[in-house]
Amino acid sequence: VDVSAVPVGSSITKMWRGKPVFIRHRTDEEIAEAKKVDGEKASLRDPQLDADRVKKEEWLVVVGVCTHLGCVPGGQKASDNRGDYDGWFCPCHGSHYDTSGRIMKGPAPRNLEVPPYAFVSDTLIRIG
C-alpha cells in the first residue's frame, strides 16, 4: 500500500483477506492521546501499549472489524463519529476505540487487531 498521498490526520481503507484494514496517518495530538492512555494500561480491558501496536508512531494499521460482533466501526472519514476517545466508534453496540485502536468503552472484548505488516520503504506498507 502506497501511503505517500495520505495527509496527516486522515485515513485510508484497503482490503486484506476480505477484511477492511484501516491505515491512519496520525497527528501529533493523536499520538499524544495514545501515549497518555499507555499510563492507564493496567485498567484497559485488552492491555497493550501504543508502541506495541505500531511500527512507526505516525502510522496506525489495524483491521477495521469490531471485535464484538464483526461490524465495521466508523472513524475513517472526517465526518464520522469517532467516539469518546477520538478513534473509532461502532454504533451497532456502542464500542469506542482510542487513537491506537484499543477498546475503551462498550462490549468489544479486544482491541482492533493489528495485522502482520512491514514498511518496505518510508511510504510503502506490505500487509500480510
Side-chain angles (χ1 to χ4, degrees), residues 2-24:
D2 182 358
V3 295
S4 61
V6 181
V8 173
S10 60
S11 302
I12 59 171
T13 303
K14 295 294 179 180
M15 295 303 287
W16 174 69
R17 293 186 173 179
K19 297 177 183 176
V21 173
F22 297 164
I23 302 171
R24 178 137 184 97

Side-chain angles (χ1 to χ4, degrees), residues 5 78 89 103 114:
F89 174 66
I103 183 62
V114 176

Side-chain angles (χ1 to χ4, degrees), residues 80-103:
D80 285 353
N81 180 349
R82 295 184 67 196
D84 294 349
Y85 300 89
D86 201 31
W88 290 268
F89 174 66
C90 188
C92 302
H93 299 99
S95 291
H96 297 250
Y97 297 91
D98 76 345
T99 58
S100 188
R102 293 174 291 201
I103 183 62

